[in-house]
């Protein structure tokens, strides 16, 4: 019997095989894009023109097969329709949501230095290097940085952080239960992206910070989805991606902000989560869209 096949990125399929398998069985196929390729490839590995052209060709052919394409941000509509030739009527937008339940109760008064938290993959797209370089210029202020996660850039980041000594703590992979502890004692969640990455990815850690009632500092491309979201909702601070001086300026604003200001932004973050990104609320528009597409 015909089925609905829901695929998650990257859509690196053999297009002819995919088309044959789907059409022969009478199935309906929906691509749910979590990363925008080939933009993510460009940001992650700086490919040659030949590699970029090959990736674009594969993705373009793969995206010609599904009955519909769901993107997680409206920033991707232009690239899907103009760059990858997906007919506009097949493109739909539905934001992601937070996949875990976190305690968003107001944080108690925190003692000691402000604690910055990065929780996620320490890879090439997450530009923690710029954050650490910015913090090297802020040693006169009392702060701590907790990094929970592993990835390709951990060793490089550890070397870069060496002059900061015990101010930067690498915790590696931690369990969900442990992660709740770090969320609970943090003052701010970090969402650093390399220049150009805002058009390729929307880090899921953002929604987890909101769920924990944490304001965020997002270093992103100007006018990107995250830049507009954080600024319009008043849930944190934004800085220009890859710009050490601008990230340092934003971090100084964060570290000099009053406790009341941090709590207010954190409360708005939790309210935003409750309104748009909780599992119950966030999954409903997605389910409605899939039903509509059927």
């Amino acid at each position: 019997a015909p089925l609905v096949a829901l695929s998650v990125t990257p859509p690196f399929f053999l297009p002819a095989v995919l088309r044959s398998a789907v059409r022969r069985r009478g199935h309906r196929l929906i691509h749910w894009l979590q990363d925008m390729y080939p933009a993510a490839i460009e940001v992650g590995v700086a490919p040659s023109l030949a590699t970029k052209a090959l990736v674009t060709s594969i993705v373009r052919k793969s995206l010609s097969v599904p009955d519909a394409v769901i993107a997680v941000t409206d920033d991707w509509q232009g690239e899907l329709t103009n760059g990858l030739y997906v007919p506009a009527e097949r493109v739909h937008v539905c934001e992601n949501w937070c996949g875990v339940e976190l305690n968003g109760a107001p944080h108690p008064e925190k003692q000691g230095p402000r604690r910055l938290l990065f929780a996620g993959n320490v890879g090439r797209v997450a530009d923690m290097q710029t954050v650490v370089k910015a913090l090297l210029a802020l040693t006169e202020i009392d702060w701590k940085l907790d990094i929970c996660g592993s990835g390709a850039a951990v060793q490089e980041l550890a070397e870069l952080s060496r002059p900061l000594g015990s101010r930067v703590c690498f915790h590696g992979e931690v369990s969900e239960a442990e992660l709740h502890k770090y969320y609970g004692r943090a003052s701010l969640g970090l969402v650093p992206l390399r220049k150009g990455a805002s058009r390729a990815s929307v880090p899921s850690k953002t929604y987890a910070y909101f769920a924990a009632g944490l304001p965020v500092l997002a270093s992103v491309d100007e006018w990107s989805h995250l830049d507009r979201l954080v600024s319009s909702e008043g849930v944190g601070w934004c800085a220009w991606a890859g710009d050490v001086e601008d990230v340092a300026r934003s971090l100084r604003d964060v570290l000099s902000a009053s406790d009341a200001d941090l709590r207010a932004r954190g409360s708005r973050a939790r309210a935003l989560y409750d309104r748009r990104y909780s599992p119950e609320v966030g999954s409903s528009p997605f389910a409605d869209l899939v039903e509509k597409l059927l």
Side-chain angles (χ1 to χ4, degrees):
L3 299 173
V4 176
L6 184 67
S7 63
V8 181
T9 40
F12 288 149
F13 304 106
L14 296 173
V17 175
L18 179 66
R19 182 179 292 107
S20 174
V22 171
R23 298 289 184 253
R24 186 173 67 249
R25 292 170 173 80
H27 296 337
R28 293 179 64 84
L29 178 68
I30 299 171
H31 273 327
W32 185 18
L33 297 180
Q34 297 297 313
D35 297 285
M36 176 53 68
Y37 288 82
I41 298 294
E42 293 177 41
V43 172
V45 298
S48 65
L49 290 177
T51 300
K52 179 181 174 182
L54 176 62
V55 170
T56 300
S57 175
I58 293 173
V59 175
R60 186 178 290 160
K61 290 178 180 177
S62 294
L63 291 176
S64 71
V65 179
D67 298 280
V69 175
I70 301 176
V72 298
T73 164
D74 53 11
D75 287 353
W76 296 352
Q77 285 183 297
E79 186 163 352
L80 283 167
T81 55
N82 300 324
L84 295 170
Y85 304 155
V86 181
E89 63 271 16
R90 291 190 190 176
V91 178
H92 306 269
V93 177
C94 185
E95 285 187 291
N96 269 337
W97 59 92
C98 185
V100 296
E101 293 285 358
L102 291 169
N103 178 16
H107 292 254
E109 292 292 335
K110 295 182 173 68
Q111 303 299 317
R114 294 275 168 83
R115 300 195 77 104
L116 313 174
L117 174 66
F118 176 87
N121 179 45
V122 190
R124 304 298 180 191
V125 174
D127 187 13
M128 280 299 294
Q129 291 88 336
T130 293
V131 172
V132 169
K133 289 175 184 176
L135 288 171
L136 286 167
L138 300 175
T139 53
E140 81 282 3
I141 305 174
D142 202 9
W143 54 262
K144 291 275 190 181
L145 170 61
D146 290 306
I147 299 174
C148 297
S150 62
V154 166
Q155 290 303 318
E156 175 188 343
L157 193 62
E159 285 298 318
L160 188 62
S161 304
R162 193 179 297 277
L164 294 170
S166 61
R167 284 183 161 208
V168 180
C169 301
F170 289 84
H171 303 284
E173 296 284 351
V174 300
S175 68
E176 192 170 307
E178 287 181 286
L179 196 53
H180 279 247
K181 176 183 71 176
Y182 293 108
Y183 280 122
R185 72 184 190 185
S187 306
L188 180 92
L190 294 169
V191 189
L193 289 171
R194 282 182 59 184
K195 190 172 183 179
S198 300
R199 68 187 181 94
S201 179
V202 179
S204 57
K205 67 173 68 67
T206 312
Y207 310 127
Y209 293 147
F210 293 164
L214 284 175
V216 301
L217 191 157
S219 53
V220 292
D221 296 297
E222 193 173 10
W223 300 115
S224 64
H225 172 77
L226 275 179
D227 183 32
R228 299 193 306 272
L229 178 69
V230 173
S231 300
S232 64
E233 296 289 344
V235 294
W237 292 260
C238 289
W240 296 333
D243 188 320
V244 175
E245 290 186 4
D246 199 56
V247 172
R249 175 195 58 76
S250 293
L251 281 168
R252 191 178 293 278
D253 289 344
V254 170
L255 296 170
S256 61
S258 67
D259 290 339
D261 187 9
L262 282 171
R263 285 196 301 272
R265 293 176 194 251
S267 295
R268 288 195 290 268
R270 175 64 196 198
L272 177 61
Y273 165 82
D274 289 332
R275 192 169 72 249
R276 283 169 61 173
Y277 300 121
S278 70
E280 300 80 12
V281 174
S283 60
S284 293
F286 180 79
D288 292 343
L289 175 57
V290 172
E291 186 175 15
K292 173 186 172 185
L293 295 176
L294 302 183

